Amino acid sequence: MPLLTPTVRLNSFALSRKLSVLYTEQEEEDSVFKFKLKCDDIVVEAEGKNKQQAKHNTAQKVLDVLKERFPNDPYFKDSDDISPEEELHERLKEMCLLPKFNYVGEEGSATNRLYTVQCVVKSLVIEVVAMATTRVVRITIKTKNLKLFSLELLG
C-alpha cells in the first residue's frame, strides 16, 4: 500500500488550496460500501469492499478530476520516479513545513548502539529510537507521513 493514500493526498491538496471536502457514507448494498464525496463543485460516488476502500476510491476519483482540471499543477506531477519519502518532503515544502531532525542521544554498547532522533514539524514532535541513524530518519519520516496530515487537517 502506498505511503500516501488517495484520501490523505486529497485532504492535503484541499487544505493547501482551501477547498472544502465532504464525505458522505451511502447505504450499504450486498456487502458493497459506498461513499459520496463533494470537493468544491466536484461530486463523485464510488464503492469498495470495505468502508476504507470505498473512501479511497472516491478520493481517487476526485483527484483524477482535479488532475484533468489542473494538468500543470506541480501537485499532480508524475511521481512514479520518486520515493514516498521524497514525495512527502515535497508536500511539506509546498506547505512551508519542512521537518527538522534533532539528534537526542545514543546508548548501549558499540555492537548494540541505539540512536534517538526527534523529528519536529510545527508543533508536532516525534521521537524515535533505532539501531542506525539512517533507519531512524526513515522511520521518523514514515511516522510523520501517517500523523502529520491528520494534524494539519485538525488545525
Side-chain angles (χ1 to χ4, degrees), residues 25-36:
E25 188 176 344
Q26 305 295 77
E27 195 171 316
E28 177 186 345
E29 295 177 18
D30 299 323
S31 298
V32 175
F33 295 88
K34 297 179 181 181
F35 270 91
K36 182 177 184 177

Side-chain angles (χ1 to χ4, degrees), residues 17-139:
R17 271 71 169 184
K18 295 182 172 58
L19 302 175
S20 64
V21 175
L22 178 65
Y23 291 91
T24 307
E25 188 176 344
Q26 305 295 77
E27 195 171 316
E28 177 186 345
E29 295 177 18
D30 299 323
S31 298
V32 175
F33 295 88
K34 297 179 181 181
F35 270 91
K36 182 177 184 177
L37 173 55
K38 184 175 190 295
C39 179
D40 266 9
D41 65 333
I42 303 167
V43 179
V44 299
E45 290 186 17
E47 54 188 44
K49 61 184 177 186
N50 57 45
K51 288 182 184 181
Q52 182 180 18
Q53 188 62 50
K55 198 171 184 179
H56 289 325
N57 290 345
T58 51
Q60 186 59 55
K61 277 188 170 184
V62 170
L63 286 168
D64 292 343
V65 171
L66 289 168
K67 186 175 183 176
E68 286 179 22
R69 283 191 186 175
F70 307 105
N72 297 324
D73 191 308
Y75 190 88
F76 296 110
K77 69 179 180 183
D78 190 15
S79 62
D80 291 340
D81 56 341
I82 64 170
S83 70
E85 289 88 353
E86 291 169 320
E87 182 181 357
L88 174 62
H89 190 268
E90 287 301 311
R91 299 289 176 261
L92 290 171
K93 196 160 59 170
E94 286 173 13
M95 298 166 68
C96 299
L97 295 173
L98 288 179
K100 180 180 178 190
F101 295 96
N102 302 318
Y103 170 81
V104 176
E106 56 189 79
E107 59 185 62
S109 66
T111 58
N112 194 18
R113 177 93 39 205
L114 294 176
Y115 296 91
T116 304
V117 172
Q118 272 186 348
C119 180
V120 181
V121 178
K122 219 172 177 180
S123 62
L124 178 67
V125 178
I126 295 179
E127 193 167 283
V128 177
V129 178
M131 295 289 287
T133 54
T134 55
R135 186 169 166 219
V136 170
V137 172
R138 283 195 198 111
I139 291 170

